[in-house]
Amino acid sequence: AVFPMQRLGVEVWPVHTVMYSNHKGYGDWDGVDMSTDAVASVLRGIEARGVLPQCEAVLTGFIGVPDLTALIVETVAKVRAANPDAFYCCDPVMGDEVPGLYVASDLPELIKSRLIPAADIVTPNQFELNLLTGIKPSTLEDALKAADALRAQGPDMVLLTSLKRQETAED
């Protein structure tokens, strides 16, 4: 997200939570998860610059270490304290229909219990929406029901990034 946002003229302060050769959804991958201490250190450095009042949004995506969820909630609270108009967009990257879950098995529940209630906007794919709500969306009506269930957990907006409906042709 950093490059497209910069191309749009947005000043971005990236805080990497992982350093991987490629997306885990592609199968084979290599790299490292950034520790909670390393991420916290970068966040402290940003805060020390006194720029949190200028921060208009927090965006999170793939999280490699489950403990980061608590740090994210803490950081979002700090940003909102410095700028009450700031919003939090949570992309709950956890998996896809194929290959399935590609994060630590305890991460979906932590995202659901910690990050979703703190978020203003959530951008799950179809698989992730099912994980977060227990509703398997296979029709537009099911997807809307699941989005409503997710919004009931806190976010104002749910943007479903994929939906393969029952009537969707295989090709």
Side-chain angles (χ1 to χ4, degrees):
V2 172
F3 180 66
M5 291 174 69
Q6 288 173 327
R7 291 288 295 155
L8 291 170
V10 176
E11 183 176 356
V12 180
W13 308 322
V15 180
H16 301 287
T17 60
V18 298
M19 178 105 36
Y20 292 160
S21 59
N22 53 275
H23 190 292
K24 279 183 148 184
Y26 295 131
D28 292 339
W29 60 277
D30 206 346
V32 296
D33 297 325
M34 299 305 196
S35 70
T36 302
D37 289 342
V39 173
S41 177
V42 173
L43 292 169
R44 280 192 306 273
I46 291 171
E47 185 178 8
R49 292 186 59 227
V51 295
L52 291 189
Q54 299 167 30
C55 184
E56 297 175 358
V58 174
L59 168 64
T60 58
F62 187 88
I63 300 167
V65 178
D67 290 347
L68 283 174
T69 57
L71 179 61
I72 290 166
V73 171
E74 176 186 317
T75 301
V76 168
K78 285 181 182 180
V79 168
R80 286 181 173 149
N83 178 0
D85 293 330
F87 68 91
Y88 170 40
C89 179
C90 174
D91 184 356
V93 179
M94 299 182 284
D96 212 331
E97 292 297 323
V98 176
L101 192 66
Y102 45 72
V103 295
S105 61
D106 55 344
L107 200 52
E109 184 54 40
L110 291 171
I111 289 173
K112 182 178 179 178
S113 65
R114 292 180 178 169
L115 301 187
I116 300 304
D120 298 294
I121 303 169
V122 181
T123 60
N125 64 29
Q126 184 172 2
F127 176 81
E128 294 155 349
L129 185 61
N130 179 22
L131 282 176
L132 294 168
T133 65
I135 299 169
K136 187 173 177 90
S138 59
T139 66
L140 181 56
E141 293 75 26
D142 290 342
L144 292 170
K145 205 178 296 182
D148 286 342
L150 195 55
R151 283 193 2 257
Q153 296 175 36
D156 294 324
M157 184 183 305
V158 174
L159 173 64
L160 184 58
T161 61
S162 65
L163 177 61
K164 183 177 178 185
R165 301 181 339 191
Q166 290 173 341
E167 64 271 18
T168 303
E170 286 301 315
D171 63 352

